[in-house]
Amino acid sequence: MRLRLLLLWSLTALFGQRAAAQTIVTGPLGERFARRIVVQQLSDPWEVAYGPDHALWVTEARGYRVSRLDPITGARRVVLDLSRERQFPRYDKIPDSLDGGKPWPQGGLMGLAVHPQLLQGKPYVYLAYIYQFAGAGQPGKGSAPHHGGNFFTTRLVRYEYDAAAQTLRRPQVLCDTIPGSNDHNAGRLLVAPVAGHDYLFYTVGDLGAGQFDNGGRPNHAQQPESYEGKVLRFNTEPDADAAPADQWIPNDNPFNKKKAQNAVWSLGHRNAQGLAFAVVGRTGRLYSSEHGPYSDDEINLIEPGKNYGHPLVIGPADGNYNGLSAGASHHADLPGRWHTTYPTISSEKANVAVIGLSYRNPIFSLYPLSREFLTTVLTRTRAQAPDAPTWNSEAPSSLDVYTAPTIPGWQSSLLLPTLKKGKLVRLQLRPDGTGVASDTLMYFRGPVRYRDLAISPDGRKLYLATDSTSVTSGPSEEAPQGTACKGCILEFTYLDGGVAGPAPSKQVLTPEQALREATTLAQQLKPQDRRVKRAGLPPAQQPLFDLLLQPRLTTQQQQQVLKNAPALLSGLRQQ
């Protein structure tokens, strides 16, 4: 009897702790979720996938481990350790005085895709990881001279899951020549159907070619023969081709040639860290989310053989990058007006005409900033200005499509975890899935860098992975301050609430409302932040910004600032 009471007490305590550990969070339309930590202190979880075995499959970017998690208990089993496959040391743990400042690749062990028939005769799990660094044996940073870049190599491998032993075994290499970098590796894997047959898709970024330490590295996003800046398509199982390397490449890929097969499915991508497939409007569609440079984070509808513009068109071809470039530096020894291998864009519209009928605009662009503001950003970046302005962007790290009817109003929504501002962005798709029908809605804000998202089959639970570090593994250092829950898998369980039907659109502000919001924004800034914000405004708006900080204004000043309040608020919001 005493043992039974002790057991009951223990179970009560356990479930009481679990309930106490949950936090209720509310969405912008009244949705209520219970937040719970499934597991924490992972070594930079990169991918979290909800498998057909009802387990969460997780990769650790720096730890080079693959784990299966029980989403209910949090119990974790390491099914593969790839650290011995990494042919370079943990530069992120070695002092620069010892290794010369060699870089860690952006990511490391990155994408994972579980075959949808894992339990039905196809026990396949696909992985992508950086395994080689060309500069490992070189002195100093190991980078190419004249800002020529950091050259890593990525391997794409298929493993078989042994359910009895709970391990991944029998690796088969699909491709081990995919170029990599310390920047813009993208790295997302997905199994998705084309014409009823499953294929493996993999995203490769432009490797940062044109910015920072890769500022002098040529950019190949527009060249079909290169795998840089592409979405690639592979077979999930080898075909009957004679050459082993060709067996993993589908015979109907759009850039195949008679004597050379090519994994490229689409081109002109900058850094597509998100890739998702869903049937929307009775049609299966492949979507990507991509990081923009200074503006225009993109959502693209991926089609075979199509060109998405980078680095000749940034975001939609609306001309805001005319005369500008996808990057800028102060290195005068690099080519062009903006000192970068990124081309100067004379006209986005003219570049679209050169690309031709294969060009595709994004179906949605986050923060398509004005040409005037972007000119200020690039000019001050080139000059190494002390008060170089910041800019609005989300840095979308992943993408999923919510297709369940569980949460009111969410069906057929794109969900984007973000790195820069720690939130989950929801965008309602049009009924046919070819565009976005809503304004952006923000969920689960916090001082974290959300890296990936998985959704339970019933749509009731969302799982978000968070970075272990507060800055990216590449050269960009935008990050939330005071990162909480490092290396976590967070579970958000839908409880109730929400609004059925389309999300309400934002109202257009009156000049008086714009003035109140601009004044509040300006007066809440710290002195250093005020200087930065002011520096990012067009010259004509800078005196108006100063007026917002004055305790009293003359009637003429009041009329002047009120007349220009909408434009001034727009300028402040761009940063």
Side-chain angles (χ1 to χ4, degrees):
M1 180 68 177
R2 182 178 179 183
L3 180 61
R4 182 183 297 175
L5 289 173
L6 182 61
L7 179 60
L8 288 172
W9 180 86
S10 300
L11 290 173
T12 302
L14 173 64
F15 285 104
Q17 288 175 359
R18 184 177 295 171
Q22 290 186 343
T23 303
I24 305 301
V25 296
T26 303
L29 300 182
E31 309 96 328
R32 293 197 319 132
F33 299 85
R35 175 187 179 273
R36 179 176 72 93
I37 300 173
V38 179
V39 67
Q40 54 189 326
Q41 299 301 319
L42 298 175
S43 182
D44 281 285
W46 181 275
E47 180 89 38
V48 55
Y50 199 105
D53 56 345
H54 302 292
L56 296 176
W57 291 76
V58 178
T59 62
E60 294 175 86
R62 296 178 188 244
Y64 273 65
R65 291 183 294 267
V66 182
S67 298
R68 287 178 73 250
L69 300 179
D70 185 322
I72 298 174
T73 66
R76 174 187 172 212
R77 171 74 179 230
V78 176
V79 296
L80 182 66
D81 188 334
L82 283 166
S83 56
R84 292 186 178 181
E85 298 296 323
R86 189 188 68 242
Q87 299 172 17
F88 53 90
R90 284 287 300 268
Y91 294 129
D92 59 317
K93 289 190 172 184
I94 302 174
D96 288 349
S97 59
L98 297 179
D99 69 9
K102 289 183 173 61
W104 179 259
Q106 189 171 77
L109 171 55
M110 298 173 291
L112 172 150
V114 180
H115 198 288
Q117 295 175 290
L118 180 79
L119 305 179
Q120 300 171 354
K122 297 186 185 295
Y124 305 134
V125 176
Y126 305 86
L127 298 170
Y129 61 91
I130 304 285
Y131 74 98
Q132 200 172 63
F133 176 41
Q138 298 177 10
K141 292 185 176 181
S143 307
H146 307 296
H147 321 289
N150 300 282
F151 289 80
F152 291 83
T153 311
T154 303
R155 179 182 284 154
L156 187 58
V157 189
R158 189 189 77 177
Y159 283 82
E160 293 185 15
Y161 177 54
D162 184 333
Q166 294 193 51
T167 58
L168 292 176
R169 59 188 183 91
R170 297 182 63 183
Q172 285 190 276
V173 175
L174 281 69
C175 185
D176 61 1
T177 58
I178 299 172
S181 175
N182 69 322
D183 198 14
H184 292 188
N185 281 325
R188 199 61 67 187
L189 270 175
L190 178 72
V191 174
V194 176
H197 186 77
D198 286 329
Y199 294 93
L200 183 69
F201 293 88
Y202 182 62
T203 64
V204 185
D206 74 349
L207 312 185
Q211 66 178 24
F212 304 115
D213 288 343
N214 298 281
R217 180 175 184 161
N219 193 288
H220 299 303
Q222 284 293 315
Q223 297 172 355
E225 66 275 12
S226 167
Y227 283 1
E228 301 176 21
K230 308 297 190 298
V231 174
L232 308 180
R233 186 179 72 149
F234 295 90
N235 291 320
T236 58
E237 300 178 67
D239 61 25
D241 288 353
D246 290 343
Q247 293 173 0
W248 292 102
I249 298 178
N251 293 326
D252 60 346
N253 269 8
F255 296 100
N256 282 348
K257 296 180 180 180
K258 287 184 178 180
K259 295 184 178 180
Q261 291 192 314
N262 187 329
V264 172
W265 185 249
S266 61
L267 69 159
H269 301 282
R270 184 173 182 266
N271 192 22
Q273 290 191 0
L275 196 62
F277 174 86
V279 176
V280 183
R282 299 184 179 181
T283 301
R285 302 192 187 279
L286 185 64
Y287 300 92
S288 75
S289 62
E290 309 197 20
H291 293 222
Y294 303 103
S295 70
D296 292 280
D297 292 335
E298 296 181 2
I299 305 295
N300 284 304
L301 182 56
I302 303 300
E303 301 175 63
K306 302 309 179 188
N307 189 323
Y308 294 83
H310 178 74
L312 304 176
V313 184
I314 309 299
D318 54 6
N320 63 335
Y321 274 82
N322 288 357
L324 305 176
S325 173
S329 81
H330 65 279
H331 301 300
D333 57 324
L334 292 181
R337 175 185 176 189
W338 302 108
H339 308 324
T340 171
T341 54
Y342 281 130
T344 298
I345 301 168
S346 58
S347 166
E348 290 187 308
K349 186 175 292 187
N351 287 345
V352 167
V354 171
I355 293 172
L357 295 177
S358 66
Y359 174 76
R360 291 292 183 271
N361 264 329
I363 64 170
F364 191 79
S365 180
L366 290 159
Y367 308 116
L369 306 181
S370 70
R371 181 177 176 274
E372 189 174 28
F373 174 75
L374 291 168
T375 301
T376 300
V377 172
L378 268 72
T379 300
R380 295 181 70 83
T381 299
R382 182 180 57 189
Q384 281 191 297
D387 292 331
T390 58
W391 54 89
N392 257 332
S393 64
E394 298 291 0
S397 56
S398 182
L399 180 68
D400 218 320
V401 185
Y402 189 91
T403 57
T406 307
I407 307 177
W410 279 46
Q411 195 166 26
S412 298
S413 289
L414 297 173
L415 301 181
L416 290 85
T418 71
L419 296 172
K420 189 174 176 182
K421 298 179 181 178
K423 66 181 76 165
L424 181 71
V425 175
R426 180 165 77 87
L427 298 166
Q428 187 74 42
L429 285 166
R430 294 174 186 164
D432 65 359
T434 60
V436 171
S438 73
D439 289 319
T440 55
L441 294 167
M442 313 298 185
Y443 295 81
F444 314 144
R445 294 173 187 255
V448 293
R449 286 169 57 83
Y450 288 128
R451 176 59 64 180
D452 193 23
L453 167 71
I455 306 172
S456 64
D458 62 1
R460 188 164 296 278
K461 296 178 184 292
L462 309 177
Y463 297 92
L464 281 160
T466 69
D467 279 4
S468 301
T469 54
S470 59
V471 295
T472 179
S473 54
S476 176
E477 295 184 355
E478 291 288 355
Q481 297 298 312
T483 297
C485 205
K486 298 178 180 180
C488 292
I489 305 297
L490 301 176
E491 177 191 79
F492 292 88
T493 302
Y494 172 70
L495 300 175
D496 53 42
V499 177
S505 298
K506 294 180 181 178
Q507 295 181 346
V508 177
L509 297 179
T510 65
E512 290 78 11
Q513 291 171 325
L515 178 58
R516 285 196 295 271
E517 186 172 334
T519 302
T520 300
L521 192 157
Q523 293 182 352
Q524 288 179 343
L525 294 170
K526 297 177 181 179
Q528 169 64 20
D529 294 333
R530 288 177 182 175
R531 292 196 298 271
V532 172
K533 286 279 188 182
R534 189 183 190 279
L537 292 170
Q541 291 185 358
Q542 292 176 1
L544 299 175
F545 178 82
D546 296 336
L547 293 177
L548 298 179
L549 303 175
Q550 293 187 17
R552 292 185 181 84
L553 300 179
T554 66
T555 301
Q556 183 179 0
Q557 288 172 330
Q558 290 176 352
Q559 293 175 347
Q560 182 185 15
V561 76
L562 181 62
K563 178 182 177 182
N564 293 280
L568 179 59
L569 178 61
S570 176
L572 291 171
R573 281 176 169 175
Q574 291 185 92
Q575 303 182 60

